[in-house]
Amino acid sequence: MGTRTSVSTILAAMVLAASAFIPLARAEQPLLYVSGFDTPLISAVSANGTVSTFASQVSTPEGMALDAARNLYVSNWGDHTIKKITPAGVVSTFVSGIDQPTGMAIDSAGNLYVATGEGGGRIDKITPDATVSVFASGLTYPHFLAIDSHDNVYFSNENSVTIGKVTPAGSVGVFATTGITNSYTMALDAADNLYISNAGTGVVSKITPAGSISSFVTGLIHPNCLAFDTAGYLYVTDGNWIDKVTPAGSSSIFATGLPSDHPYAMVAIPPVPEPSSAILLAAGAGMLALRRRAGRVILWWLRMCFGVNERCRRG
């Protein structure tokens, strides 16, 4: 009985070790996070359009931004804080004492930019270690932010027809005159084209890096929040549902049942990368080595316990 148990233990250990290299089914990763100012929670939307609650400890969520580690930052307008939410949904206060924070965006170095003090005309910069400084001031009611691949910060002016631009060095200028007085959120595609929503006309406009403006998609009811996924599809909140727009400008309903009729911000979540071929090759090599070693161990046990060796066969 002892011999059988020992061999069984070794075999079980082999199975457990080998199973570490077998890909496990992952829980479905969310594709989008959506906030609503009138709803004290953050919603997650899966790739198949299923809406669920991601976090609920944010009283008045407004702007959102996602860092490289997929931590979500949420401006909490009512208590003057920036909340940080881990991918597991753990909520903490990242920075406090921010005057009425609204729109946010993150640059390539992980610095967070926040439009602050409604009507105060300022954008603050917050480093990854939570150090706060004034990045740009003297602006005209900046509200929503976006950052391009060169770390230029774009801001929409709440009661103006212009989109402003701040360079990484802090130089402020007008990027485009849109003629839209009720622009909502903005989003940039991979080519640094800027998209802005116009809830009044049901249009999402496209602005090229050179400042040329055109209508990208029309016929929406109340377009508000915008976000691009890594495949180049644009997602637009339209009331309490989300439209999906192809790169060619064709739209369809992607998800329904958002808890707020007035979503305030939306971010797209990059997919978790698959293991590289090098990692898979290393795992395969490790598994082969494990099998060889386990085989030698089992053969040794058999020889010790049952006398299966050359001398027995000769005798």
Side-chain angles (χ1 to χ4, degrees):
M1 179 66 71
T3 299
R4 291 178 183 174
T5 302
S6 299
V7 174
S8 298
T9 301
I10 293 172
L11 291 173
M14 288 175 60
V15 171
L16 287 174
S19 67
F21 297 98
I22 299 174
L24 299 177
R26 294 185 213 153
E28 188 171 14
Q29 178 187 309
L31 175 67
L32 303 166
Y33 291 133
V34 186
S35 69
F37 184 79
D38 57 349
T39 307
L41 55 83
I42 306 298
S43 297
V45 185
S46 69
N48 64 8
T50 300
V51 179
S52 60
T53 297
F54 173 61
S56 58
Q57 299 174 37
V58 186
S59 57
T60 49
E62 290 212 5
M64 297 193 298
L66 200 70
D67 68 15
R70 295 177 175 79
N71 295 301
L72 180 68
Y73 297 84
V74 183
S75 58
N76 200 17
W77 185 86
D79 68 359
H80 311 287
T81 63
I82 305 297
K83 300 296 185 183
K84 179 179 179 179
I85 309 176
T86 68
V90 178
V91 182
S92 62
T93 297
F94 178 59
V95 173
S96 59
I98 304 294
D99 182 27
Q100 296 177 322
T102 54
M104 299 198 301
I106 288 182
D107 68 13
S108 60
N111 298 301
L112 180 66
Y113 297 80
V114 186
T116 65
E118 287 198 354
R122 193 178 78 243
I123 297 174
D124 285 346
K125 177 180 179 180
I126 308 174
T127 63
D129 65 359
T131 300
V132 183
S133 61
V134 175
F135 176 64
S137 59
L139 310 178
T140 306
Y141 217 139
H143 209 73
F144 296 101
L145 306 182
I147 295 181
D148 68 15
S149 61
H150 302 288
D151 288 338
N152 296 298
V153 179
Y154 299 85
F155 60 92
S156 60
N157 290 299
E158 181 66 14
N159 294 312
S160 173
V161 295
T162 63
I163 300 294
K165 177 180 178 179
V166 188
T167 68
S171 177
V172 181
V174 174
F175 171 63
T177 300
T178 64
I180 302 171
T181 56
N182 290 314
S183 61
Y184 278 71
T185 61
M186 303 182 292
L188 285 148
D189 65 16
D192 284 340
N193 295 299
L194 183 68
Y195 297 75
I196 58 173
S197 59
N198 187 342
T201 62
V203 174
V204 174
S205 298
K206 175 182 177 179
I207 310 175
T208 67
S212 176
I213 304 173
S214 61
S215 294
F216 176 63
V217 60
T218 61
L220 304 178
I221 297 174
H222 194 82
N224 188 352
C225 309
L226 307 176
F228 275 97
D229 67 14
T230 55
Y233 289 90
L234 176 65
Y235 297 85
V236 185
T237 61
D238 201 359
N240 70 341
W241 68 87
I242 299 173
D243 292 322
K244 181 177 182 178
V245 186
T246 69
S250 176
S251 66
S252 60
I253 294 177
F254 171 69
T256 60
L258 293 176
S260 173
D261 289 332
H262 304 285
Y264 200 89
M266 178 168 58
V267 296
I269 308 156
V272 176
E274 294 295 330
S276 68
S277 57
I279 292 175
L280 293 175
L281 286 172
M287 190 171 180
L288 287 174
L290 176 66
R291 285 175 176 172
R292 292 192 189 102
R293 185 177 181 84
R296 289 196 296 269
V297 171
I298 291 175
L299 182 59
W300 178 81
W301 268 95
L302 290 172
R303 285 175 173 171
M304 287 293 293
C305 299
F306 297 103
V308 181
N309 53 43
E310 292 298 323
R311 285 182 297 176
C312 287
R313 273 188 268 190
R314 286 200 301 268

